[in-house]
């Protein structure tokens, strides 16, 4: 019996030793050189999937941010320039007929003012024009060279002279503004405006308008009225408030 157990024990011991070597032995770590060779043998797609996300993928947002930052100074300056230009254009559009010195560059203006009449000849009893007195003076411009000049003398009975006149504006060559506007024309004279003996006759007038500023005009004229076989002549002087007029 002892001789038969020894071979059996020896066989079991050998089988146990072989089993431990095949199953129970822990795995060894793969060397780094072998990992590098395995990574080189992988396909390109598999290599790309294992790579970290490249910073170039964020290049587009970064570029757009840089462009926005570069555009900020331009946007900050542009509104100021636009505001200055619009303000300058606004001034030109508001008063296109005003020169740099503030005077008018167009004779197409109207005015209404006050003054006085000095009788020069004629029968004082025929009309207030020959007698003289306080006067209302006005001009209504239709164009650069055509206007209606009116003078009403509030004397004995009152007389009004309404004349359609041709205007001849004279401009300053350096500034372009209107220096003086000579005018001459004819129309109607109406005497005794506030009485019962009203008479209508032919009238002639001529004079000058002198723009003092954009809003004020001095005027001087001579008016002659032919009423009841009498000729009444008066010198009228005054100043009027100027505006652009109704016939723009």
């Amino acid at each position: 019996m002892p001789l038969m157990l020894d071979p059996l024990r020896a066989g079991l011991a050998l089988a146990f030793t072989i089993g431990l070597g095949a199953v129970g032995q822990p795995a060894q770590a793969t060397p780094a050189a072998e990992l590098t060779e395995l990574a080189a043998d992988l396909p390109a797609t598999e290599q790309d999937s294992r790579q970290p996300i490249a910073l170039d993928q964020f290049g587009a947002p970064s570029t757009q941010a840089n462009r926005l930052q570069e555009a900020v100074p331009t946007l900050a300056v542009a509104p100021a320039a636009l505001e200055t230009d619009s303000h300058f254009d606004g001034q030109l559009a508001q008063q296109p007929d005003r020169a740099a010195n503030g005077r008018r560059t167009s004779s197409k203006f109207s005015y209404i003012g006050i003054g006085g009449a000095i009788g020069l000849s004629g029968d004082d009893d025929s009309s207030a024009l020959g007698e003289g007195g306080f006067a209302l003076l006005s001009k209504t411009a239709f164009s650069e060279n055509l206007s209606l000049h009116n003078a009403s003398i509030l004397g004995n009975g009152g007389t009004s002279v309404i004349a359609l006149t041709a205007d001849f504006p004279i401009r300053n060559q350096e500034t372009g503004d209107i220096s003086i506007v000579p005018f001459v024309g004819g129309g109607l004279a109406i005497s005794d405006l506030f009485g019962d003996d009203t008479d209508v006759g032919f009238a002639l007038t001529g004079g000058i308008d002198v723009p003092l500023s954009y809003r004020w005009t001095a005027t001087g004229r001579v008016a002659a009225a032919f009423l009841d076989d009498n000729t009444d002549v008066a010198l009228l002087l005054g100043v009027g408030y100027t505006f652009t007029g109704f016939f723009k």
Side-chain angles (χ1 to χ4, degrees):
M1 290 296 294
L3 293 176
M4 295 179 63
L5 291 175
D6 290 335
L8 180 58
R9 290 177 180 175
L12 291 176
L14 180 61
F16 182 76
T17 301
I18 294 172
L20 288 178
V23 178
Q25 186 177 4
Q28 297 180 357
T30 305
E34 294 182 6
L35 290 177
T36 304
E37 293 179 359
L38 291 175
D41 295 336
L42 291 174
T45 55
E46 295 184 6
Q47 292 182 18
D48 293 343
S49 62
R50 295 174 178 267
Q51 295 294 330
I53 298 175
L55 294 179
D56 292 340
Q57 295 180 4
F58 300 94
S62 176
T63 303
Q64 293 179 1
N66 293 336
R67 291 178 180 177
L68 289 176
Q69 292 178 357
E70 294 175 359
V72 168
T74 305
L75 294 176
V77 176
L82 293 175
E83 182 179 357
T84 302
D85 294 341
S86 62
H87 179 67
F88 180 75
D89 294 340
Q91 288 182 336
L92 292 179
Q94 184 177 2
Q95 294 176 337
D97 59 342
R98 174 176 288 190
N101 58 5
R103 297 165 65 96
R104 291 182 180 267
T105 59
S106 171
S107 64
K108 190 179 178 181
F109 60 84
S110 302
Y111 63 78
I112 182 170
I114 58 175
I118 303 172
L120 300 178
S121 65
D123 186 359
D124 293 346
D125 295 332
S126 63
S127 70
L129 190 65
E131 182 180 0
F134 180 77
L136 297 177
L137 306 172
S138 66
K139 170 193 172 183
T140 303
F142 302 118
S143 67
E144 291 283 340
N145 303 105
L146 186 65
S147 63
L148 191 69
H149 280 81
N150 179 61
S152 298
I153 300 91
L154 307 178
N156 184 17
T159 300
S160 181
V161 176
I162 304 172
L164 185 65
T165 62
D167 304 338
F168 307 95
I170 299 176
R171 290 177 169 81
N172 187 317
Q173 297 298 326
E174 295 181 357
T175 60
D177 61 287
I178 300 295
S179 299
I180 60 174
V181 185
F183 61 89
V184 62
L188 298 175
I190 305 173
S191 66
D192 198 12
L193 291 173
F194 309 106
D196 297 331
D197 192 15
T198 302
D199 190 15
V200 179
F202 181 68
L204 293 175
T205 188
I208 58 172
D209 292 328
V210 183
L212 302 176
S213 65
Y214 191 80
R215 291 299 181 189
W216 298 98
T217 300
T219 183
R221 68 188 73 173
V222 175
F226 305 93
L227 300 165
D228 292 335
D229 298 331
N230 294 317
T231 302
D232 296 338
V233 181
L235 173 65
L236 299 102
L237 301 173
V239 61
Y241 177 79
T242 310
F243 51 96
T244 301
F246 305 104
F247 303 94
K248 296 181 181 181

